[in-house]
Every structure is written in structure tokens, then in C-alpha cells.
């Protein structure tokens, strides 16, 4: 499931719209793996260390590396908050911070409803 801003926009959908058709196909293939497999290989999905249970979907397409960040809601539903093209070895801190902020905002909104 993709996180939605209060105005209904989906940052992950907007990111996917920027990709080529083949890049987006690879992202969707990896997301399908994550949804269907019981044991997901680390090359596609791993928990980031030292943060508030943020997980990283890992996609490589040729020389391009893409990441989607997200969290689990009630332990089963993965909410993807943001996506980006990875240019450095480390996952950018501002992307992790954005995922944490959106997680808190999502949980606060859900609590109200």
C-alpha cells in the first residue's frame, strides 16, 4: 500500500511515474515478490538499522538503483512512504527522516479515524 498525503496524493506513485516503463516494471516485480514470498531475499528487502522500524525495498535495474522506504502497519501491511534513485553507498538520511515523519503522520491520522 502506498502512503497518501492528507490531500490524497501518493509520493510513491509520483516517483514511479518518473521512471521508464521497464524501470517501473522491475519495481512492481520486486513489490510482487515481497507480497508473495514468505522469505524475501535481502537483496530485495531489508530493515534499516538504527531507526524506527523503517524497511527498504531494494531495486536494481542495470546501473540504476532505486529504493522505496516504508513501515509495517499492525505487523502485516507494508506502507511505502517514499521512493528515490540511490546515488551513494548509504541511504540518504533525509530520505529516512522523511519516511519516519510520514510514518508518524500516518499513525496519528489513523488513530483519529
Amino acid at each position: 500500500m502506498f502512503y497518501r498525503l492528507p490531500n490524497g496524493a501518493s509520493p510513491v506513485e509520483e516517483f514511479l511515474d518518473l521512471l521508464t516503463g521497464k524501470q517501473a516494471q522491475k519495481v512492481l516485480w520486486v513489490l510482487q515478490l515481497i507480497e508473495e514470498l514468505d522469505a524475501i531475499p535481502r537483496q530485495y528487502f531489508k530493515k534499516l538499522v538504527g531507526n524506527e522500524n523503517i524497511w527498504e525495498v531494494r531495486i536494481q535495474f542495470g546501473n540504476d538503483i532505486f529504493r522505496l522506504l516504508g513501515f509495517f502497519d499492525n505487523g502485516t501491511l507494508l506502507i511505502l512512504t517514499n521512493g528515490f534513485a540511490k546515488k551513494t553507498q548509504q541511504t540518504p538520511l533525509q530520505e529516512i527522516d522523511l519516511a519516519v515523519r510520514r510514518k508518524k503522520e500516518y499513525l496519528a491520522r489513523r488513530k483519529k479515524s
Side-chain angles (χ1 to χ4, degrees), residues 5 15 20 57 60 64 70 73 76-77 79 81 88 90 110:
L5 296 168
F15 170 73
T20 67
V57 177
Q60 183 160 353
D64 297 319
D73 182 13
T76 57
L77 180 64
I79 309 292
T81 58
T88 62
Q90 296 282 359
R110 193 189 71 188

Side-chain angles (χ1 to χ4, degrees), residues 62-74:
N63 291 329
D64 297 319
I65 299 172
F66 304 108
R67 297 292 188 257
L68 302 175
L69 300 182
F71 61 94
F72 283 98
D73 182 13
N74 289 327

